[in-house]
Amino acid sequence: MDRNRLGLRIHHSGSSQSEESALDLERNYCSHPNLLWSSPSPLQPFASGGQHSESNAAYFSWPTLSRLNDAAEVRANYFGNLQKGVLPETLGRLPSGQRATTLLELMTIRAFHSKILRRFSLGTAIGFRIRRGDLTDIPAILVFVARKVHRQWLSHVQCLPAALEGPGGVWCDVDVVEFSYYGVPAATPKEQLYTELVDGLRGSDPCIGSGSQVANQETYGTLGAIVKSRTGNRQVGFLTNRHVAVDLDYPNQKMFHPLPPSLGPGVYLGAVERATSFITDELWYGIFAGTNPETFVRADGAFIPFAEDFNMNNVNITVKGVGEVGDVHVIDLQAPINSLIGRQVVKVGRSSGLTTGTIMAYALEYNDEKGICFFTDFLVVGENQQTFDLEGDSGSLILLTGRDCEKPRPVGIIWGGTANRGRLKLKVGQPPENWTSGVDLGRLLDLLELDIITTNEGLQAAIQDQRNALAQGIDSTVGESSPLDRVPSKEKIEENFEPLNLNIQQVTGEGEPEPKRRKQSD
């Protein structure tokens, strides 16, 4: 279905780094709205393993004021043009136009009504209507509220419409989902699961690969995928979360498996080459996803090339517990939403091992108390009310289960969850469920200029490409910095990102803290 049904133009614009802004993503959780019409607190996921706060925002780069003003004007004109294709609101009956069927159509309808939805909800997402805890095949905008009550207890102005209409008369259902808050997060046991698979991922296996534990001096998480760079010396390395790889309070950005030697047994894997935390919506999705000019998508990823002296024979391409995987599933916003929503997924992480779940929604949106709008791509709920991730699983690869004997296909990586923050109440008479948030892998790979490696042949070819690129660099005397040069002091990182090719940006403190025994001094 093409964009003309919505009168939609895909908008692209450049980005620039600029002024730093303090942002404490943790403090908003304490507010607890009791009723649908209460002033809403943001529906914010927290990172898997998050326990300490990074509120100084040293690496959260906002657009410059002029860039923000320009973007606001362009955004206003964009939605003003969409307004011309919107029919007068129909009260008490469903619109007569075509029902939305694609992710793009649903996202556009939601963006068009984002100001109204923000007054009613903690957040919204794109998905199917949920009835008695089960997904239907009815496309809908999901609206999350702190307390879901019967319509008879609400006045007319407190009721959400049954449907919303967008440009060109395209419309969709509205579904209300209860999000139960639990106040201040309680401490969560870190070693809730211990199996032979998990034992291997934490260091008892001779090889590493997707699901293996990776750590720096302060945190540990999970290796997501083996990847190769599209640029420079075509380095071969691995992908994980930014918050796992880069500790903003400890400038040494080296990664180890399973632990740094100062904390336990382990070997040096490599240093962070480039990373990102947030990106504007029009650059991530190719469209304006909301009317708010300050709209950012969580793009939590980091690329770590393997060190020159690391033995590449110790790299395993298959996903332990799953086997071989296929190519990345690229999410096309113009595809029907059942190409993604409702799909079964699996993941392998260093804390919980192999788990299964369902993609319940895409493009989860929430706002902080300053009015800044944030998006995260996936909302995954574990099967049989089992959690899909635990602390330390940040960075784990999310795999779509294969159809018709196809190999599982990577679609995202985990960056957080809400085991301590709050849960989704999907079924009456059943307890609320945990949920997991993830990053769209295809878009993250493009942003970091990486390709995933899924076969041994592909790994060998990538290693050879790296050798060839390095040899050419030496011949032309324009080689890249040595690994030792890739780790400047914290002051140098703050002054200039270029030596590392970093786009590091500030987020809430995440990853699972390691015991601070024998901590090295700065």
Side-chain angles (χ1 to χ4, degrees), residues 318-372:
T318 61
V319 180
K320 191 173 181 183
V322 174
E324 295 182 354
V325 300
D327 297 330
V328 173
H329 178 86
V330 177
I331 297 173
D332 180 3
L333 297 184
Q334 297 190 72
I337 70 169
N338 62 6
S339 64
L340 181 69
I341 308 302
R343 295 287 301 272
Q344 300 297 303
V345 289
V346 298
K347 82 97 185 60
V348 177
R350 60 81 52 203
S351 295
S352 57
L354 176 65
T355 57
T356 58
T358 301
I359 298 177
M360 299 290 288
Y362 183 71
L364 172 67
E365 171 268 338
Y366 53 94
N367 296 271
D368 80 344
E369 62 183 14
K370 296 181 181 180
I372 300 169

Side-chain angles (χ1 to χ4, degrees), residues 25 45-48 241-243 276-279 284-285 296-301 366 374-377 415-416 437-440 444 447 506-510:
L25 299 183
F46 80 106
S48 295
N241 286 147
R242 193 287 304 163
H243 74 257
T276 186
S277 288
F278 288 92
I279 186 172
W284 187 254
Y285 295 122
F296 298 89
V297 181
R298 181 68 179 253
D300 191 344
Y366 53 94
F374 293 100
F375 282 86
T376 188
D377 291 316
W415 75 261
S437 48
V439 181
D440 183 332
L444 182 61
L447 180 64
Q506 170 69 20
V507 294
T508 319
E510 304 107 346

Side-chain angles (χ1 to χ4, degrees), residues 213-232:
Q213 176 173 305
V214 290
N216 59 29
Q217 293 288 345
E218 292 294 318
T219 63
Y220 62 76
T222 299
L223 186 156
I226 306 299
V227 295
K228 60 181 179 181
S229 175
R230 301 174 186 172
T231 60

Side-chain angles (χ1 to χ4, degrees), residues 87-99 129 131 138-139 161-165 169-174:
L87 299 176
E89 185 176 359
T90 55
L91 298 175
R93 61 184 178 85
L94 293 178
S96 58
Q98 290 181 286
R99 187 191 292 268
R129 284 190 67 95
R131 287 178 176 166
I138 302 172
L164 289 174
E165 191 169 14
V170 181
W171 63 277
C172 68
D173 281 37
V174 174

